[in-house]
Amino acid sequence: SQTIHQWPATLVQPVGSPLSLECTVEGTSNPNLYWYRQAAGRGLQLLFYSVGIGQISSEVPQNLSASRPQDRQFILSSKKLLLSDSGFYLCAWSVRGLSTQYFGPGTRLTVL
Amino acid sequence: QKEVEQNSGPLSVPEGAIASLNCTYSDRGSQSFFWYRQYSGKSPELIMSIYSNGDKEDGRFTAQLNKASQYVSLLIRDSQPSDSATYLCAVKGSGTASKLTFGTGTRLQVTL
């Protein structure tokens, strides 16, 4: 069966510090991968998605970037965090070509 | 801007009753529809998917789709306190690869 991992689970960072969140998927090959952010009391906002190694599509201009160095690894980064980057970050995967998405446990980021 | 609209709630139903959750979408070419359940502080988990007009049943859950009215609903029969959560509607629009657009969710409270 497929499993998706995210770490860390929670993170408190000062404004201006860098960020690296990691997501890995097990039990599948060539997945589509997605990064979402869910701000408090708001819906899921798609940040990035990837259909393959090194292939990243950005959905909204922002302070974040994403990379996919390996088939089942997706990384979300920032060079300098802003207060507005606080939120619940979710990684999701889907079978290539299908639209059903499955979410990881998420990382709760607080920027102070 | 492709939109997915949900009443934020809270929707309060007594234990044992039927909970009816509704969702409308703006993209008439939308192809696939999903319901996710999200407990407070947790990541969304897939409940059901529906692709064709009509009803789809899975245990206590029934998804209903009406593409002409651009409307999808989720019925929960014999509601239990454990069903108390936020329910997210997600839609795969036309020409959007495997990307989903999420509604902001309806919070359901099942009372004893």
Side-chain angles (χ1 to χ4, degrees), chain B residues 21-91:
Chain B
L21 305 164
N22 304 316
C23 171
T24 59
Y25 58 94
S26 62
D27 181 0
R28 184 168 290 277
S30 296
Q31 304 168 7
S32 308
F33 307 85
F34 305 88
W35 284 100
Y36 289 82
R37 177 176 61 199
Q38 187 176 22
Y39 291 114
S40 180
K42 302 296 185 181
S43 64
E45 57 179 322
L46 180 69
I47 298 175
M48 291 189 70
S49 59
I50 186 166
Y51 307 99
S52 304
N53 280 329
D55 295 358
K56 179 181 179 182
E57 186 175 320
D58 184 359
R60 295 186 296 112
F61 299 97
T62 299
Q64 300 175 318
L65 175 61
N66 184 325
K67 290 185 178 180
S69 299
Q70 295 175 239
Y71 177 95
V72 58
S73 64
L74 179 70
L75 301 178
I76 306 175
R77 290 183 300 281
D78 188 24
S79 295
Q80 300 298 309
S82 59
D83 295 325
S84 297
T86 296
Y87 290 79
L88 304 175
C89 173
V91 176

Side-chain angles (χ1 to χ4, degrees), chain A residues 18-55:
Chain A
L19 174 73
S20 181
L21 303 181
E22 190 163 342
C23 169
T24 59
V25 182
E26 296 177 355
T28 188
S29 297
N30 306 313
N32 286 350
L33 296 172
Y34 311 82
W35 277 113
Y36 290 88
R37 176 171 59 204
Q38 188 175 38
R42 302 184 67 177
L44 287 169
Q45 179 187 33
L46 179 62
L47 303 175
F48 302 94
Y49 74 95
S50 171
V51 298
I53 295 174
Q55 301 179 63

